[in-house]
Amino acid sequence: MATSVHRNGSLTPVSLQGFVLVGFGGSAETQALLFAVFLVLYLVTVLGNLTMIMVITLDARLHSPMYFFLKNLSFVDLCLSSVIIPNALANIFSSSKTISFAGCATQFFFFSLLAATEAVLLAVMAYDRFMAICSPLRYPVTMCPMTCARLVLGTFCVACLNSIVQTSLTFQLPFCSSNYIDYFFCDVPPLLQLACASTAINELVMFGICGFIIVCAVFVVIISYGYITVTILRMRSGSGRHKVFSTCGSHMTAVSLFYGTGFVIYGQPGGVASMEQGKVVSTIYTLVIPMLNPLIYSLRNKDVKDALRRLGQRHSLVKESG
């Protein structure tokens, strides 16, 4: 809902057909460079995450809780980028750069859903590593397939609740006559800037829910890896210690990148200092992190590299026999 301002200062609701996503400014050459960079990063993101999903699905040796969660992380990353980047690419060379009110709300809902899902899922993955390393005898029973499925379902349920609350509170606000969103997708901070009414409740809810999710997730990660570190230092085998450190190091890299950028935007009062800063930070967790995650986990994981090699050999044998 938008509002028009009369001369007497009163606000009257008017129909809002859609928004204009301003995106990134600059000359035509800058826009072309942005398009090329975004397109390459997005293609790498799609290829990397689809490869991870395919390899984990096809290789029976990777049918374990850790890789089950990793496959779900790749799926979430793939969807997260796909909700944002294709539309952003189309808008770079579009003259109108418009997005309908319903389209904006839909994009906002799924972005909130997927971002919150990844935040909780990373904490679940830390708990999985904690159980595998600190309680190896109980691990097969504790992290059975049913438990893993329930944990993933739980992450989606928590994220869905967050998304419903955020979307309903944001899109019931009366928006001013200006429908220009100084961002490259529909997100909370730029939308709140267009509201005519007080956004104190919205900001409090965003800070409360997102801060709670991030703080709880980080707490789980810190506790899990605290115990893991102590367990690793007690290991006598140097090779075993190196393998565990390599796996956990990959996870901590992904966790630090995601939670750090998420906290900058949503987990602190006032958020980012400017929309330009927000655009840069948002690019990191909507495009860069989803692209890096499969690279981090595959390049530093011997099991994944071996699975890729076996898959390649299997493909070569099938091709030769055909």
Side-chain angles (χ1 to χ4, degrees):
M1 181 68 70
T3 58
S4 61
V5 183
H6 292 277
R7 293 181 179 179
N8 60 8
S10 63
L11 297 175
T12 302
V14 297
S15 175
L16 183 64
Q17 299 300 321
F19 296 100
V20 177
L21 293 170
V22 175
F24 296 89
S27 62
E29 291 78 9
T30 302
Q31 295 291 311
L33 178 61
L34 277 174
F35 180 87
V37 172
F38 273 42
L39 180 60
V40 170
L41 293 180
Y42 179 65
L43 291 176
V44 174
T45 299
V46 172
L47 179 62
N49 284 289
L50 282 178
T51 300
M52 290 295 291
I53 293 171
M54 180 183 65
V55 169
I56 294 172
T57 301
L58 295 179
D59 196 300
R61 300 185 189 184
L62 299 183
H63 291 177
S64 65
M66 183 178 77
Y67 294 106
F68 172 75
F69 294 129
L70 183 55
K71 182 169 72 171
N72 280 275
L73 178 66
S74 293
F75 173 75
V76 171
D77 279 335
L78 177 62
C79 294
L80 180 62
S81 287
S82 298
V83 165
I84 305 298
I85 303 305
N87 185 73
L89 288 172
N91 279 343
I92 288 179
F93 292 122
S94 172
S95 57
S96 61
K97 301 181 185 295
T98 59
I99 183 171
S100 67
F101 188 88
C104 186
T106 301
Q107 185 185 62
F108 180 92
F109 175 85
F110 283 105
F111 166 73
S112 301
L113 171 67
L114 294 163
T117 298
E118 179 154 348
V120 181
L121 185 58
L122 288 172
V124 170
M125 293 173 69
Y127 175 74
D128 170 71
R129 291 298 81 209
F130 160 73
M131 291 301 302
I133 296 169
C134 300
S135 301
L137 297 179
R138 296 171 52 196
Y139 181 69
V141 177
T142 305
M143 300 301 292
C144 65
M146 182 61 70
T147 300
C148 294
R150 287 173 178 172
L151 285 171
V152 170
L153 180 61
T155 63
F156 278 100
C157 289
V158 171
C160 188
L161 178 62
N162 164 71
S163 188
I164 290 172
V165 172
Q166 298 280 9
T167 305
S168 60
L169 283 177
T170 301
F171 285 88
Q172 72 177 2
L173 286 170
F175 293 105
C176 296
S177 55
S178 174
N179 62 345
Y180 282 76
I181 300 177
D182 190 14
Y183 230 55
F184 63 98
F185 68 98
C186 295
D187 198 8
V188 175
L191 283 168
L192 294 185
Q193 288 192 349
L194 301 182
C196 297
S198 172
T199 60
I201 294 178
N202 297 73
E203 292 174 4
L204 182 63
V205 170
M206 180 183 72
F207 170 67
I209 296 180
C210 296
F212 178 78
I213 291 175
I214 293 174
V215 168
C216 288
V218 170
F219 180 77
V220 171
V221 170
I222 291 175
I223 295 297
S224 298
Y225 279 98
Y227 279 104
I228 288 172
T229 301
V230 173
T231 303
I232 291 173
L233 294 176
R234 291 176 179 172
M235 288 182 175
R236 296 181 180 180
S237 171
S239 60
R241 187 183 304 173
H242 174 75
K243 181 178 180 180
V244 174
F245 262 128
S246 178
T247 301
C248 295
S250 301
H251 188 199
M252 285 304 298
T253 302
V255 165
S256 301
L257 284 170
F258 186 82
Y259 289 151
T261 52
F263 184 80
V264 168
I265 298 288
Y266 310 106
Q268 57 177 330
V272 293
S274 68
M275 284 298 103
E276 292 303 318
Q277 180 185 351
K279 292 175 190 178
V280 175
V281 177
S282 297
T283 303
I284 295 175
Y285 65 78
T286 58
L287 185 58
V288 177
I289 294 176
M291 178 200 68
L292 288 178
N293 277 346
L295 298 177
I296 290 172
Y297 284 105
S298 62
L299 293 178
R300 298 189 61 182
N301 191 303
K302 184 177 181 298
D303 293 337
V304 174
K305 288 188 286 187
D306 290 343
L308 283 169
R309 192 177 301 112
R310 286 192 297 269
L311 190 62
Q313 292 172 350
R314 191 188 311 171
H315 178 72
S316 298
L317 290 173
V318 171
K319 189 174 181 181
E320 290 175 2
S321 63

